[in-house]
Amino acid sequence: MGELRLLLVDDEVEFLEPMKARLERRGLACATATSGDDALRLLGSERFDCAVVDVKMPGMDGLELLRRMRRTWPETAVVLLTGHASVELGVQGMELGAFEYLLKPVELDDLLDTVRRAAAGARRD
Amino acid sequence: MLGRKRPGKGDTAAQRATFRLMYERFREVLSLNDSTLELIADIEEKLLGHRPFALDAVEAGVRRAAMDIFVMVKDLNQLARNRHVGLYEALRALNAELEGLFGPPGAVEGPLVIPISTLRAQDAAIAGSKMANLGEVAGKCGLIAPPGFAITTAAVVRFLAAGELWERCERLEGVLELDGPEALPAACDEVRAAILAAPVPEDVAAAIRDAYAQCFPGSATLVAVRSSAVGEDSLSSSHAGLYDTELNVEHDRLLDAYRSVVASAFSATAVAYRFEKGLTAREALMAVGCVGMVVPRCAGIMYSRPPDDPEADAVVISTTPGLAARLAAGDENAEEIVAVPGAEVYAPSALLGPDELRRLVNVARCLEEHFGRPQDVEWAIDFEGRLTVLQSRPMVTIRVETSPAVDLFAGRDILLEGGFTACPGVGSGPVVTVDGEAALARFPEGGVLVAKHSSPSFAQVMWRCAAIVTDVGSPTGHMASLAREFGVPAVVGLDGATAALRPGQFVTVDATGRRIVEGALLTRAGGRTVKSPLADSPAVERLRAVARLVTPLRLTDPASPEFSPAGCRSLHDITRFVHEKVYEVMFHYGDVASEDRHHSARLDARLPLIIRVFDVGGGIVEEKSAARTVRPEDVTSVPMKAFLEGMLEPRIRWDLPRPVSMRGFLSVLGESMAGPPAEVRQVGRLSYAILSDRYVNFSTKAGYHFSTVDTYCGQSQNKNYIHFRFHGGAADVDRRERRVRCLSTILQALDFEVAVKGDLLTARLDKYTHDATRARLVDLGRLTMCARQLDMLMDDDSRPDFFAAAFLASEWEKF
């Protein structure tokens, strides 16, 4: 299957860095972005199997990033991860084609499991 | 996504993970469904208004439920390959409507302050009824009201919006409900201290200063700052004396007095009072009046009618020298005068002359006429003899208590006791046993519906039943929910009710006390309960607006075209839809299993079926988890063990030659030549069982029929179910239908709810105990074996009943 390439997008650096470290310890290759624009730049130069995207970010929010990703990089699965339990955001996210909508805090095993399934689905498509 | 692609060979872990995930999602949907139904039951119970409740806590519950339902909708779509995406839109629309009803009141339109001289009745929503009425007094009745102005609710909303003050205020009722009355005073003190310390927004402060300057030129006038809350002074809840009034307030203390009156809405007494009365924090949205202090010679209160005899033509006046504040509080002795209009001589008074009494009576009648009902009026007469009306509000008449609290059941023999209250109340009538649709159609007006299990189909007759009693059922089920909607007293889960109650027997059901007595009880509303005290309270009204989007169940019939995402008009509808559809997905669980034969174990049992098992957790003993074959004794799944026990019944002799008639055989041949459906040939003769410790999904495609058993059997009764589906067959249509008829008779006798459409039969058994569910699974195992080639035995129309009787008499050798 090869190494799984993951992009983590979150404006909270305190969340981003420890998460990256934990995921890498489990054998994933992780890149991080602290904004939607940042993420788009990375996506333009590298291929990712899956992106884990925070919904609430200043500037371009997670849903807007998702919208653009589905258009330009449909092969990269998007998992939304948010601290706000919102029906409206969840519905929008799923309708826009998110692979999954997860609430923070998320168990590392659950996130890993979701990311692996998302990547597997995306690779086959 | 799930089941979208067939995993490559050797992908054992992935395949196992797919099953486990499907299973987990399925269980998640069911458990979220349960918690949603519990919330719905809770809301419906609260809507009855028997008990006060904190609206804020219910709203939090509804928000959680909406999120749970989002997860259900997501899970279903992930399981069913996005076949039901329309549900997202249905949920979004409902959620948006709900959000509009929740949370802090939106910014109130309107000015921050309004002078009394321009206030009218329609301003009550932002100035409070007390101040609005005062405006009417001055403007329309031609009477004198004191000068002053109202600080509106638009202002208080601005004030409380800062620092989450509103949210903290709103939570106080929840403190009372959840933590008890002991916890309330401290919580209230904290909130009030926060209000007293909070800055008044600059625009509000400026508006107050300007209004004061306009009403009272030169800043020397003392004012009274008094509450004029939106829900104050209503007929059913007077709030009498609950909120503070600050007297003789100087110009530079205005804002302090304002904060203090606003804060008085959140004293422990005020919160408890509103809670008991079914009022909410929104009724405490405080408009505040600033009125010039009157220096009276005498002042007082009058009732435009005697409160204990509102029909009588008399005005009751009490008066005291100076200010009447202490009179209202009840700690001042006053002169009491009953004045009869038109009478020449009024009762003698030391304080009021005949002319003043006459003027007061005229004012009372004038106000009464203007407001359309008896009034409670505060007034003052100054040293120049000028009569000022300080307040006019609807008078609270004394209600006569008409329901004596006696135990109507004393001295009666209790026929049955127990079960759960699905809808409280008392109802009496003749027992009518209902065992199917036909019995419902014949259901008489005023009957007591008695049935083995609860069913939403009873909704058809709820408007004419006196009460409902079922052997099996849950207070959070659909039927219970409907019973509350219709207000039909109902007891569910009362074991043995159908056996103990004779059709036609006259009984009284006390659903509240969960007991049934012989004979009729005379209750006022024809056997139904009377309306409860909080039935029309603002809390119930507001909850009703929320409940309209949550509780009504419109999707009752899965076969109707309405049964669609677009037909979902409530959260209940969405859960109902998801619940129905998720079982449909699970009926095809076995199809996913059949795509992969490599990663299951073969069940080595003496059976004419090849059974492959997939364990998703705890269904097989540990040591055999990786084995290629397992034996029945290795199975640890409770429902699978039961089902196998039935299939392995030694008296079912599938291994002996069968008494198949030539006609039956030819019929099978005939159909086979016409060709069995392609998918039958393709799938072959394998059966699949997906197991966990308490779950089985067993699908058989052996022979020419399809059958699926999906079941959960654990210790929590509410979660237990057996869903069974059977269709197809190789014989001609008549024989297949006869077989279905035979199965239907048997399953109904075994307490299943059965639906038949052509040769498709579906049967459900929900919410039975662990042991009862287990026993039915053994029966179903036997039936599965007996039914295998039953179509061949169905030569004529007498056969279905013959074989049904044989099965039920345990004469399995006949098959």
Side-chain angles (χ1 to χ4, degrees), chain B residues 351-364:
Chain B
L351 286 168
L352 299 166
D355 183 52
E356 286 171 325
L357 280 170
R358 205 169 297 121
R359 277 163 64 205
L360 280 170
V361 167
N362 287 341
V363 166

Side-chain angles (χ1 to χ4, degrees), chain B residues 401-408 524:
Chain B
E401 193 57 60
T402 50
S403 58
V406 291
D407 186 2
L408 298 165
R524 271 165 297 171

Side-chain angles (χ1 to χ4, degrees), chain B residues 64-143:
Chain B
R64 264 196 310 277
M67 199 60 207
D68 286 351
I69 293 168
F70 163 69
V71 174
M72 288 173 73
V73 169
K74 176 178 78 66
D75 284 352
L76 174 67
N77 275 302
Q78 290 175 334
L79 286 169
R81 305 172 196 200
N82 284 329
R83 214 175 304 144
H84 308 291
V85 282
L87 285 173
Y88 285 124
E89 195 46 52
L91 176 59
R92 161 187 284 144
L94 283 169
N95 185 61
E97 254 194 276
L98 282 167
E99 284 299 327
L101 297 171
F102 294 162
V108 173
E109 292 290 317
L112 300 171
V113 297
I114 307 175
I116 290 176
S117 53
T118 66
L119 273 173
R120 289 299 174 266
Q122 60 268 25
D123 297 319
I126 61 165
S129 50
K130 197 185 280 180
M131 294 307 287
N133 284 359
L134 214 46
E136 291 275 309
V137 166
K140 288 233 187 104
C141 306
L143 302 171

Side-chain angles (χ1 to χ4, degrees), chain B residues 44 120 148 165 178 205 211 470 514 634 764 780:
Chain B
E44 283 167 340
R120 289 299 174 266
L165 281 174
L178 305 172
T470 69
R514 303 192 307 273
D634 300 327
R764 294 181 170 199
L780 207 53

Side-chain angles (χ1 to χ4, degrees), chain B residues 324-348:
Chain B
R326 294 213 311 267
L327 180 68
D331 53 7
E332 179 112 339
N333 282 327
E335 209 175 77
E336 297 278 344
I337 306 148
V338 178
V340 180
E344 273 306 307
V345 181
Y346 292 106

Side-chain angles (χ1 to χ4, degrees), chain B residues 265-286:
Chain B
F266 303 101
S267 69
T269 320
V271 171
Y273 173 86
R274 285 195 299 267
F275 183 75
E276 293 298 332
K277 283 278 186 174
L279 302 172
T280 73
R282 287 192 192 204
E283 273 74 45
L285 263 189
M286 187 74 87

